[in-house]
Amino acid sequence: MEVKEQLLNLKPYQPGKPIEEVKREYGLNKIVKLASNENPFGCSESAKEAIRQSLDSLAIYPDGYSTELRDKLTEHLGVDGSQIIFGNGSDEVISVISRALLSPGKNTVMATPTFPQYKHNAVIEGAEIREVELIDGHHNLDGMLKAIDENTRIVWVCSPNNPTGAYVDTEKLSSFISKVPKHVLIVVDEAYYEYVTEEDYPNTVQLLKDYPNLLVLRTFSKAYGLGGLRVGYGIGNSSFISKIEPAREPFNTNRVAQAAAVAALGDQTFIRDCIEKNKNGLQQFYRFCDQHQLAYYPSFGNFILIDFKRQGNDVFQYLLERGYIVRSGNALGFPTCVRITIGTEQQNNEIIALLSEMLAG
C-alpha cells in the first residue's frame, strides 16, 4: 500500500527512553528526568482532587465543546468563548492549523532551530518550509518578513523559543505583526507563557483585537504540570476559529483532562510558587556556567541550553549512565549543547555536581 510520499523520509517523534528502561540498562535505582520541560513540582493538589472525582465518569464521552473549561478560560483570559480552540496538547492545535491552511504550492515561515512540530506538520501537508536562522538565540524577524510572499499561509513565532529560551518583546512583536500581510496567519506559540515575568513580554491576547490574522497557542502541559493529560489551546479570531474547527477531532480532550485543567486554572498560587522556584533554579545553572566559563542562553522558560564545547550526545550519555536524562543538542540544532529542564533545588544541585565532575575529568 502506498502512503503520502512526504511521509517516507519523515521520522516520527522520538521520545526519550522510558525511565524503567534506563534503570534496567544501567542497573540504576534512581532516575531523574530533566529532558522534556515538565514541571518538576507536579500539578496542583486541586487538579489531583478533580481527577479523583472524575474517575466514576470514565464510561461517558467527554464534553466535545469543553464547556466548563472554556468558560473558565474566557474568564481567566478576558476573551469570548468562541475565540478558543482546544487540542490534545498544543501539538494537536498546531496539526489542526497546518491541516486547515497548508497544502502543496503554499509555504510556511519559521525560525530555525525552533519547536520541530511546525516543520513536521508542514511536511505532512506537502507545503514548502522556509526556515530563517536565529540570531544569538532570537528570532530574526526581519529575515522572516523577507521570506513571506503571496503563497505564505503561516508564520510561526515561538516565544519563549524552544530550545533557546529567548522571547520576542512587545515592541518587536507588535512591529512584526503589523508588517505581516493580512493573508498570512501569525501563530505565536506561548507554551512557556506562565514562566515569563518580564515587563516587556507582550500581552498577545490584547493584540487579537487589532489583528484578526493572529493566533496564540498556550498549554497546560508545562507550568500547570498536566503534560500527561494533554490539554492545549489556541486563542484567535472567532470567525477564523469557526473555520478551522472542522479539522479538530471530536472529543479530542478527555473528561479527566478537562476537569484537571479547570481545577489547575483556579490555583494560581501553585503557579506563582512554581515560577519563583524556577527562577531560583535558573540562577543555580547560571552560577554553574559562569564558574566554568560555559556559554549559555539566558532562558525565560523552565529549561536552559548550555554549550559544553563538546558533542551534546557525549554529555547526554555521561548523564544518562548516572541516572539523569536530559536532551542532547544534536537533535535540536545545537550539536555541542545540552538542554536541561530546571528541576527541584536538589535535582539541580545533583546534576550540577555531576557536570562539574565531568568537566574536571
Side-chain angles (χ1 to χ4, degrees):
M1 296 180 67
E2 294 185 2
V3 299
K4 284 183 177 181
E5 183 178 348
Q6 55 264 38
L7 291 178
L8 298 179
N9 295 316
L10 188 64
K11 294 181 179 180
Y13 177 76
Q14 296 291 327
K17 282 188 175 184
I19 289 175
E20 291 305 318
E21 182 180 335
V22 176
K23 282 184 177 180
R24 288 194 302 270
E25 186 172 349
Y26 297 102
L28 300 168
N29 295 318
K30 174 187 172 183
I31 301 294
V32 177
K33 185 187 175 197
L34 298 173
S36 301
N37 305 339
E38 296 144 331
N39 188 336
F41 307 105
C43 66
S44 163
E45 290 299 321
S46 299
K48 294 178 184 178
E49 180 57 29
I51 291 169
R52 286 188 284 267
Q53 292 183 11
S54 67
L55 294 180
D56 289 336
S57 303
L58 295 184
I60 304 170
Y61 279 109
D63 173 8
Y65 192 65
S66 306
T67 304
E68 187 178 0
L69 178 55
R70 188 180 300 270
D71 290 346
K72 191 79 173 178
L73 263 178
T74 58
E75 179 185 347
H76 181 71
L77 298 169
V79 299
D80 189 84
S82 62
Q83 291 181 257
I84 301 172
I85 183 170
F86 289 100
N88 185 27
S90 54
D91 288 347
E92 189 190 23
V93 184
I94 292 168
S95 175
V96 167
I97 294 166
S98 301
R99 188 184 308 162
L101 274 69
L102 298 179
S103 60
K106 307 303 179 186
N107 70 70
T108 179
V109 176
M110 63 196 70
T112 186
T114 192
F115 187 52
Q117 290 305 106
Y118 313 144
K119 181 176 181 178
H120 185 93
N121 281 281
V123 170
I124 292 173
E125 301 306 327
E128 178 191 351
I129 296 139
R130 298 182 175 181
E131 297 178 291
V132 179
E133 289 280 346
L134 298 172
I135 299 177
D136 296 328
H138 292 262
H139 283 63
N140 177 2
L141 296 178
D142 289 337
M144 293 172 72
L145 283 171
K146 291 176 183 176
I148 295 171
D149 63 18
E150 67 277 6
N151 292 317
T152 305
R153 289 298 175 265
I154 310 172
V155 58
W156 305 88
V157 178
C158 188
S159 179
N161 185 47
N162 180 5
T164 61
Y167 70 93
V168 181
D169 67 38
T170 298
E171 183 179 351
K172 290 177 181 177
L173 184 64
S174 298
S175 175
F176 175 75
I177 292 173
S178 69
K179 296 172 184 174
V180 173
K182 304 303 181 192
H183 72 274
V184 178
L185 178 69
I186 307 147
V187 180
V188 181
D189 187 346
E190 297 184 336
Y192 302 93
Y193 164 81
E194 289 80 11
Y195 288 110
V196 189
T197 57
E198 274 55 35
E199 291 184 1
D200 62 349
Y201 188 68
N203 186 336
T204 44
V205 172
Q206 286 296 317
L207 292 174
L208 292 170
K209 297 175 182 177
D210 298 318
Y211 299 101
N213 60 329
L214 173 64
L215 189 142
V216 181
L217 293 179
R218 293 184 185 170
T219 183
F220 285 92
S221 295
K222 303 303 180 185
Y224 286 96
L226 297 176
L229 291 180
R230 315 302 298 125
V231 186
Y233 58 99
I235 320 149
N237 174 271
S238 295
S239 175
F240 176 72
I241 294 295
S242 68
K243 288 177 182 177
I244 66 171
E245 270 283 353
R248 178 179 65 84
E249 297 293 335
F251 309 115
N252 62 331
T253 57
N254 67 73
R255 177 176 294 277
V256 176
Q258 290 178 25
V262 168
L265 200 59
D267 189 358
Q268 291 300 310
T269 300
F270 172 79
I271 296 298
R272 287 190 292 270
D273 183 54
C274 290
I275 292 168
E276 189 62 30
K277 290 176 179 176
N278 184 71
K279 281 188 172 183
N280 294 337
L282 279 167
Q283 291 300 322
Q284 288 178 264
F285 282 99
Y286 293 162
R287 289 192 294 270
F288 160 74
C289 290
D290 292 341
Q291 178 185 351
H292 293 278
Q293 298 181 318
L294 297 172
Y296 62 92
Y297 291 94
S299 176
F300 298 90
N302 66 335
F303 56 88
I304 184 169
L305 187 69
I306 303 174
D307 190 351
F308 287 91
K309 300 298 183 185
R310 62 181 76 184
Q311 275 296 311
N313 283 346
D314 294 342
V315 180
F316 165 83
Q317 188 64 33
Y318 179 90
L319 292 172
L320 185 69
E321 291 173 5
R322 290 155 180 80
Y324 287 79
I325 307 174
V326 297
R327 191 76 190 273
S328 170
N330 289 71
L332 303 173
F334 293 90
T336 62
C337 295
V338 165
R339 191 191 70 193
I340 304 172
T341 301
I342 307 304
T344 65
E345 181 179 5
Q346 180 178 339
Q347 290 171 342
N348 298 336
N349 283 331
E350 289 171 354
I351 197 170
I352 285 171
L354 287 173
L355 289 168
S356 297
E357 290 175 10
M358 179 193 76
L359 293 169

